[in-house]
Amino acid sequence: MDDEWNYPIPEGSIVATNLAALKGESITEVTRWEEDEWDMYVGASQDVPEEEIRIVPFATMLGIDKSLEAAINLQVEKGLWRENGNDPWENWEEEC
């Protein structure tokens, strides 16, 4: 928490995520909607109940899972997915 911010995104970037992700389950879906806003969910975003969604700093998510660094380079309105936390990230477009 005291480290200098060395990422090419705004330090105040935020993430909408679900409680399962905050409890340590592997995030399987990531999308970037604005320059400083992402969604990162365990499971499909459309299946996440609204009452389980939380807004947290991007830095918090990196602290939970370093593999989320891949999301830093996403273009706005692009996404990544994976079957589980051990799988490599894949681009959304390739599977749509």
Side-chain angles (χ1 to χ4, degrees), residues 3 6-7 14 16 42 58 62 70 74 76 83 89-90 96:
D3 292 345
N6 292 317
Y7 297 101
I14 58 171
V42 174
F58 196 107
L62 287 175
L74 271 177
V76 173
E83 289 292 324
W89 288 107
E90 298 190 38
C96 294

Side-chain angles (χ1 to χ4, degrees), residues 14-75:
I14 58 171
V15 173
T17 192
N18 54 338
L19 292 174
L22 293 173
K23 292 178 181 178
E25 290 186 45
S26 295
I27 292 168
T28 56
E29 182 179 288
V30 175
T31 50
R32 185 175 190 177
W33 296 114
E34 301 288 337
E35 286 299 315
D36 59 352
E37 295 179 18
W38 284 256
D39 286 353
M40 298 182 180
Y41 296 109
V42 174
S45 59
Q46 68 268 19
D47 296 336
V48 177
E50 189 173 328
E51 64 270 10
E52 291 188 16
I53 297 174
R54 300 294 186 271
I55 306 299
V56 299
F58 196 107
T60 298
M61 301 309 292
L62 287 175
I64 293 171
D65 182 352
K66 280 295 207 186
S67 76
L68 295 172
E69 285 184 355
I72 291 171
N73 297 316
L74 271 177
Q75 298 297 314

